[in-house]
Amino acid sequence: MCGIVGAIADRNVVPLITEGLKRLEYRGYDSAGVAVVGANIRRVRRVGRVAEMESAIAAEKLTGVLGIGHTRWATHGGVTEPNAHPHVSMNEIAVVHNGIIENHEAQRERLRAAGYTFESQTDTEVIAHLIHFHLRETSDLFIATQRAARELEGAYAIAVVALSSPGIMTGARMGCPLLVGRGDGENFIASDMSAIISATNRVVYLEDGDVVAVTREGVRVVDRSGEPVERIEHVSTLTADATDLGPYQHYMQKEIHEQPRAIADTLEAVIDGGIDAALFGRDATRIFAEVDAVLILASGTSSYAGLVARQWIETFAQLPCTVELGHEYRYRDSIANPRQLVVTISQSGETLDTMEALKRAKELGHTHTLSICNVQESAIPRASALVYYTRAGAEIGVASTKAFTTQLVSLFTMAMALAKARGRLTSHTEADAIEQLRFLPGSVQHALNLEPQIQAWAERFADKQNALFLGRGIHYPIALEGALKLKEISYIHAEAYPAGELKHGPLALVDNAMPVVVIAPNDALLEKVKSNMQEVRARGGELYVFTDLDSHFTDSEGVHVIRTPRHAGVLSPVVHAIPVQLLAYHTALKRGTDVDKPRNLAKSVTVE
């Protein structure tokens, strides 16, 4: 893990690979490397950012027409140059790899017995030696890659080059994303379309079990049984401009401010055509009418979107809804309900925990599956019966912002469509919901206008080591999201609780050094939240309250208040997500952390 780029052309591919790695750097960044095939295999690896590697490439005058590159986020072995990719076997094979090989120890012992020496602590080096082992027997890199892939257990995406095969590059995928870019007289392998968008917008997405051979002239794919297979070529709508910073200081800042447009784009079909189950797929009307419960599977920020959706679904569609973390669901004895709608939420569509949870649900007999996703033709949507694509555009910052709010509006649309399919949505309620959605981008923009006030709060947060976030009802997940954002990018320890839970333990943490952030819009639970706030003030805690104009809060000693312009009704969680994002962002700026690339984290989590 975490980013792969490979290219074969009749021009020097090193600049293209380097540029692709820069575009993938947000996914993982502890080391980077490139290997090219010529008279021998030449390799440059460096710990740190791609810029460190780029300087070394220039110093060594590395060039080549066939090469592979990688940005690494450490799983096996520490952050050292010997553990950086690409890994080489016998100076004849070079491999880059995303994922985790679960049987690497057994394979390592087998290969040591066959005379191979290991120079790293990684599971990836096993792949290089294993392919080399089979290449000695077959003299065909494509066949050797297929044989090695069949012996690997776990999740992987790999790209391979060999000294003996200067006209071919191979790849294989199981559980981790891998695609092929098609060019004119040149072709590419990558883990993400953004890595190769400057060279081509024609892309073939590989399926689990696929092995691919890429030459300048074309692409051959075989499936897990070794049979030739054609994968559909798509034209990507991603542009190089979508991944440019423009006038912004960080991607996270850019993506926070893109939310009004991202939400409007995601809701375009709803605003134009009304709430309709058909928005989710051809069979959605029938499926939505048949289901008697909803199960949401997600991880991280997406799971918080699911917690908000649970309340919308139970309120409007009158369906019981459960939200489970994907990595927990797949390992417990779950009671299957074939009439349940299984909803997976993933920004990338490749989140391994969520993908494996979906596979488990289907093994248990669930056929009513729906994916909420931001990436066209990614693995989870392809494995789902129904799909709704958010239109957030490329999200580069590791801490999710616009992906989260577009997930929320997509899930609100789903809740309303379920209610309508079940005869529980009156024409008045539908018209009111569409009207609220129509005004939502403007409300989000108003929340963004609070940034100068939030910056002043960030000054006070910057020297803190801990923080509490409180919310009630449908705003408790926003408190969870606020705490997650703060700890992700500022490294301040933060926890979130339902405000009523304070007196059951967390109140012991409150003192004058513990800022307490409260999500307190003017809803049915406002008076309860006010009582919880009094509990904090009585213990000397300092309150930072996000509310709205109708809530009648005033600043006082130990109580700081920021108001959104108006209460957004049932869509209030979307609006209140904006201030907590801005608080985390500006606090991180004050603390001098790397906002877009927080330590120890990666954007697309393709390992367990």
Side-chain angles (χ1 to χ4, degrees):
M1 191 170 169
C2 215
I4 291 172
V5 191
I8 183 168
D10 59 4
R11 57 173 168 145
N12 179 19
V13 299
V14 173
L16 187 148
I17 293 172
T18 302
E19 178 60 30
L21 293 180
K22 287 180 179 177
R23 292 185 181 275
L24 293 180
E25 197 172 11
Y26 71 96
R27 298 172 66 107
Y29 54 87
D30 57 47
S31 61
V34 171
V36 295
V37 176
N40 51 32
I41 290 181
R42 297 181 64 199
R43 174 176 57 164
V44 171
R45 301 180 293 173
R46 288 294 184 271
V47 169
R49 299 295 168 81
V50 174
E52 301 290 332
M53 180 203 72
E54 188 175 24
S55 296
I57 284 173
E60 298 191 22
K61 297 182 172 58
L62 189 71
T63 62
V65 296
L66 169 62
I68 53 176
H70 191 265
T71 54
R72 179 176 186 253
W73 183 77
T75 52
H76 290 77
V79 181
T80 65
E81 191 169 306
N83 287 333
H85 299 217
H87 287 283
V88 170
S89 177
M90 301 296 191
N91 296 315
E92 295 177 359
I93 292 282
V95 171
V96 292
H97 163 228
N98 287 347
I100 289 180
I101 304 304
E102 295 175 357
N103 64 334
H104 72 96
E105 290 180 351
Q107 292 289 356
R108 187 183 298 264
E109 291 307 309
R110 171 193 172 195
L111 290 162
R112 277 187 176 136
Y116 289 92
T117 300
F118 286 81
E119 299 176 352
S120 77
Q121 301 166 303
T122 69
D123 53 344
T124 303
E125 194 175 2
V126 165
I127 304 172
H129 290 323
L130 190 59
I131 294 173
H132 184 272
F133 175 83
H134 287 295
L135 186 62
R136 290 191 308 187
E137 297 178 339
T138 68
S139 300
D140 186 314
L141 182 60
F142 191 31
I143 293 174
T145 305
Q146 292 176 59
R147 290 183 180 179
R150 284 195 289 267
E151 296 177 356
L152 298 175
E153 297 173 9
Y156 56 82
I158 62 174
V160 188
V161 293
L163 186 61
S164 62
S165 306
I168 185 174
M169 171 175 54
T170 62
R173 171 204 167 132
M174 179 62 72
C176 295
L178 195 68
L179 56 87
V180 176
R182 305 291 298 270
D184 296 324
E186 56 186 28
N187 288 303
F188 314 92
I189 286 179
S191 55
D192 189 299
M193 188 65 206
S194 63
I196 56 174
I197 193 61
S198 62
T200 184
N201 64 351
R202 297 162 52 203
V203 60
V204 174
Y205 295 97
L206 300 179
E207 301 283 350
D208 272 355
D210 283 355
V211 180
V212 63
V214 179
T215 65
R216 291 182 185 84
E217 293 75 30
V219 175
R220 286 187 295 155
V221 182
V222 296
D223 62 19
R224 68 181 70 205
S225 64
E227 293 298 315
V229 63
E230 290 289 331
R231 300 297 183 205
I232 299 171
E233 182 179 301
H234 302 268
V235 177
S236 174
T237 58
L238 183 69
T239 65
D241 290 344
T243 58
D244 288 339
L245 267 175
Y248 296 98
Q249 190 175 355
H250 299 95
Y251 283 112
M252 185 178 181
Q253 181 189 29
K254 175 177 182 276
E255 288 152 12
I256 288 173
H257 283 270
E258 286 175 340
Q259 288 176 105
R261 170 50 55 195
I263 289 169
D265 288 347
T266 299
L267 292 173
E268 182 178 11
V270 181
I271 301 301
D272 290 346
I275 294 168
D276 191 337
L279 293 167
F280 296 84
R282 187 175 56 189
D283 296 328
T285 302
R286 173 185 61 81
I287 291 172
F288 280 15
E290 291 177 357
V291 299
D292 63 6
V294 178
L295 168 64
I296 295 175
L297 301 172
S299 299
T301 287
S302 294
S303 73
Y304 301 153
L307 290 173
V308 176
R310 178 175 68 183
Q311 301 208 34
W312 286 329
I313 291 163
E314 293 190 345
T315 297
F316 295 107
Q318 296 288 291
L319 286 169
C321 179
T322 303
V323 182
E324 295 208 37
L325 296 169
H327 45 81
E328 296 297 317
Y329 170 80
R330 65 178 294 214
Y331 291 117
R332 71 174 186 83
D333 294 327
S334 178
I335 307 299
N337 172 10
R339 290 173 61 86
Q340 195 171 43
L341 178 65
V342 177
V343 180
T344 50
I345 313 172
S346 169
Q347 187 278 140
S348 68
E350 304 284 354
T351 308
L352 187 61
D353 295 330
T354 308
M355 183 71 227
E356 293 301 320
L358 175 59
K359 288 180 182 177
R360 176 62 177 156
K362 293 169 74 172
E363 289 169 0
L364 292 173
H366 290 282
T367 58
H368 300 331
T369 57
L370 187 156
S371 168
I372 305 290
C373 182
N374 191 44
V375 180
Q376 297 271 337
E377 296 300 322
S378 49
I380 294 174
R382 292 201 305 271
S384 303
L386 306 174
V387 62
Y388 191 96
Y389 287 112
T390 60
R391 295 173 63 188
E395 188 178 69
I396 306 300
V398 167
S400 182
T401 53
K402 61 179 180 174
F404 176 63
T405 50
T406 54
Q407 286 171 356
L408 286 175
V409 298
S410 301
L411 289 161
F412 178 79
T413 304
M414 182 192 76
M416 289 300 185
L418 280 165
K420 188 172 184 179
R422 293 169 52 77
R424 297 184 180 276
L425 188 67
T426 66
S427 57
H428 173 76
T429 303
E430 180 179 2
D432 183 59
I434 293 172
E435 188 69 5
Q436 289 188 64
L437 290 171
R438 191 187 309 276
F439 281 106
L440 185 59
S443 297
V444 169
Q445 184 59 56
H446 284 310
L448 288 168
N449 295 341
L450 300 172
E451 190 166 12
Q453 297 168 256
I454 296 170
Q455 281 181 275
W457 280 14
E459 295 273 2
R460 300 183 183 131
F461 272 72
D463 64 351
K464 304 298 183 183
Q465 299 305 313
N466 303 281
L468 287 178
F469 284 70
L470 304 178
R472 294 198 74 148
I474 203 166
H475 294 93
Y476 166 54
I478 304 306
L480 286 166
E481 175 64 3
L484 177 62
K485 285 291 161 286
L486 191 66
K487 57 192 163 192
E488 273 184 310
I489 63 170
S490 76
Y491 315 146
I492 293 173
H493 173 250
E495 297 295 338
Y497 293 93
E501 192 69 8
L502 263 182
K503 56 187 173 290
H504 295 287
L507 201 55
L509 296 171
V510 173
D511 59 20
N512 59 11
M514 172 78 79
V516 180
V517 180
V518 187
I519 315 299
N522 187 23
D523 60 14
L525 291 172
L526 178 60
E527 292 306 315
K528 298 293 185 184
V529 174
K530 286 182 176 179
S531 296
N532 301 136
M533 290 167 55
Q534 290 302 317
E535 294 170 350
V536 172
R537 284 300 300 137
R539 276 78 179 177
E542 193 154 5
L543 290 160
Y544 295 83
V545 185
F546 289 119
T547 183
D548 51 49
L549 284 179
D550 306 323
S551 298
H552 307 297
F553 282 108
T554 56
D555 281 333
S556 59
E557 184 179 355
V559 181
H560 313 282
V561 180
I562 291 179
R563 294 178 178 82
T564 59
R566 68 185 185 98
H567 183 45
V570 293
L571 292 169
S572 176
V574 182
V575 177
H576 279 273
I578 309 304
V580 297
Q581 293 171 358
L582 288 169
L583 179 61
Y585 172 73
H586 285 289
T587 302
L589 281 189
K590 297 297 180 185
R591 289 170 67 92
T593 63
D594 193 332
V595 173
D596 287 332
K597 306 180 187 72
R599 67 189 183 200
N600 304 334
L601 299 178
K603 182 65 176 175
S604 182
V605 183
T606 54
V607 297
E608 285 196 271

